[in-house]
Amino acid sequence: MSIFTMGIDVGSTASKCIILKDGKEIVAKAVISVGTGTSGPARAMKEALEQIGLSSVSELQGAVATGYGRNSLAEVPAQMSELSCHAKGAYFLFPNVHSIIDIGGQDSKALKIGDNGMLENFVMNDKCAAGTGRFLDVIAKVLEVNLEDLEKLDEKSTVDVAISSTCTVFAESEVISQLAKGTKIEDIVKGIHTAIASRVGSLAKRIGIKDDVVMTGGVALNKGMVRALERNLGFKLHTNEYCQLNGAIGAALFAYQKYTMTHQ
């Protein structure tokens, strides 16, 4: 009999769900772009369950919730810290991982991982929006561009523009004054990526970065941001199509581990 386990990562800005078969194969996935306190988590779970022909979490062999809103799901009684889930998920995707950089909607984290995929140390910025996905959201609105277009704009940049403010509010007014000066949007975008990279990079350097470095979280889908971090850290960053689902993968693996330990 196959063992199906679910991981649901309820973030501040998105809900991510993964279903694993036998702790090895990703058989369903869903990302809904609203997070905790919304219908997002329920919709993500429903979508993932439908992909394997099930209608309820209780039909699975196990489920674990993680992320900012992990305690808000009545149908998923087990929770794990997002740090442990990120470590486990990244180790599943990249077995040689030693460092993880995760830029989430409301925070950014750097994790140090041991040879066995265990979390050894971490640092986190959750006090300030600068250096998070939220910051990119705010700037994209000011520039009147879609979040998905930031990567393409960054690629076109030919001039380095320094955005010196590390505070969202001040950076926003700095961007507005750059626009008023006639600075090209693509150069501002690259400047913003560089500013975030310097903030996240200094966080990461505090725990000591070493290869392999994996970037997770939805912001990892933005190659402009990945390039800026690579320039700042001097390391290649590994990303994957599942980088936004990394926490959910870790949670599904913990659910599998729990099931197999109790059913040996």
Side-chain angles (χ1 to χ4, degrees):
M1 183 190 98
S2 295
I3 299 165
F4 292 98
T5 57
M6 172 190 280
I8 170 108
D9 180 359
V10 184
S12 55
T13 53
S15 307
K16 290 82 66 175
C17 189
I18 278 279
I19 297 175
L20 287 181
K21 179 181 168 186
D22 300 329
K24 289 187 190 74
E25 187 192 340
I26 296 169
V27 289
K29 66 181 195 318
V31 178
I32 303 288
S33 58
V34 283
T36 187
T38 70
S39 64
R43 280 157 60 200
M45 289 190 288
K46 182 173 185 283
E47 200 176 295
L49 285 163
E50 279 171 358
Q51 287 169 29
I52 58 163
L54 299 180
S55 56
S56 144
V57 175
S58 59
E59 295 171 73
L60 298 163
Q61 278 70 50
V64 166
T66 190
Y68 186 69
R70 65 181 175 273
N71 297 315
S72 61
L73 306 176
E75 60 273 59
V76 184
Q79 294 91 27
M80 276 303 286
S81 103
E82 58 189 300
L83 293 163
S84 303
C85 289
H86 273 293
K88 207 167 190 65
Y91 185 62
F92 174 83
L93 295 172
F94 299 96
N96 297 322
V97 62
H98 283 108
S99 311
I100 300 170
I101 290 173
D102 176 73
I103 301 183
Q106 303 276 29
D107 63 24
S108 47
K109 326 179 243 305
L111 286 67
K112 188 178 180 184
I113 309 296
D115 290 332
N116 54 357
M118 296 300 279
L119 178 66
E120 288 186 346
N121 195 3
F122 74 94
V123 282
M124 192 166 180
N125 155 39
D126 57 358
K127 300 283 183 287
C128 168
T132 68
R134 176 86 190 94
F135 184 52
L136 283 170
D137 265 348
V138 169
I139 299 302
K141 284 194 177 76
V142 173
L143 294 173
E144 295 180 61
V145 297
N146 291 330
L147 212 49
E148 303 73 68
D149 296 337
L150 294 178
E151 175 185 325
K152 290 192 209 77
L153 287 161
D154 178 288
E155 260 178 55
K156 290 182 190 156
S157 170
T158 53
V159 180
D160 286 337
V161 172
I163 305 286
S164 52
S165 302
T166 50
C167 163
T168 308
V169 179
F170 294 131
E172 200 176 335
S173 56
E174 208 175 324
V175 165
I176 290 166
S177 67
Q178 288 284 359
L179 286 169
K181 271 198 296 196
T183 307
K184 286 184 176 165
I185 286 183
E186 52 261 41
D187 296 329
I188 296 174
V189 168
K190 190 176 176 187
I192 286 293
H193 285 157
T194 303
I196 294 176
S198 109
R199 195 174 180 94
V200 176
S202 62
L203 190 76
K205 285 164 195 165
R206 278 166 44 198
I207 56 161
I209 288 280
K210 62 178 199 169
D211 265 338
D212 286 3
V213 188
V214 171
M215 185 171 171
T216 62
V219 177
L221 299 168
N222 172 348
K223 295 291 177 279
M225 193 61 245
V226 174
R227 286 193 296 271
L229 267 164
E230 287 179 334
R231 288 194 300 272
N232 183 282
L233 295 169
F235 283 97
K236 177 177 170 31
L237 263 59
H238 299 276
T239 61
N240 178 290
E241 60 178 308
Y242 294 111
C243 52
Q244 190 174 8
L245 291 144
N246 187 62
I249 292 172
L253 287 164
F254 275 119
Y256 175 75
Q257 202 174 305
K258 197 172 162 203
Y259 178 84
T260 50
M261 280 163 74
T262 51
H263 291 78
Q264 274 173 346

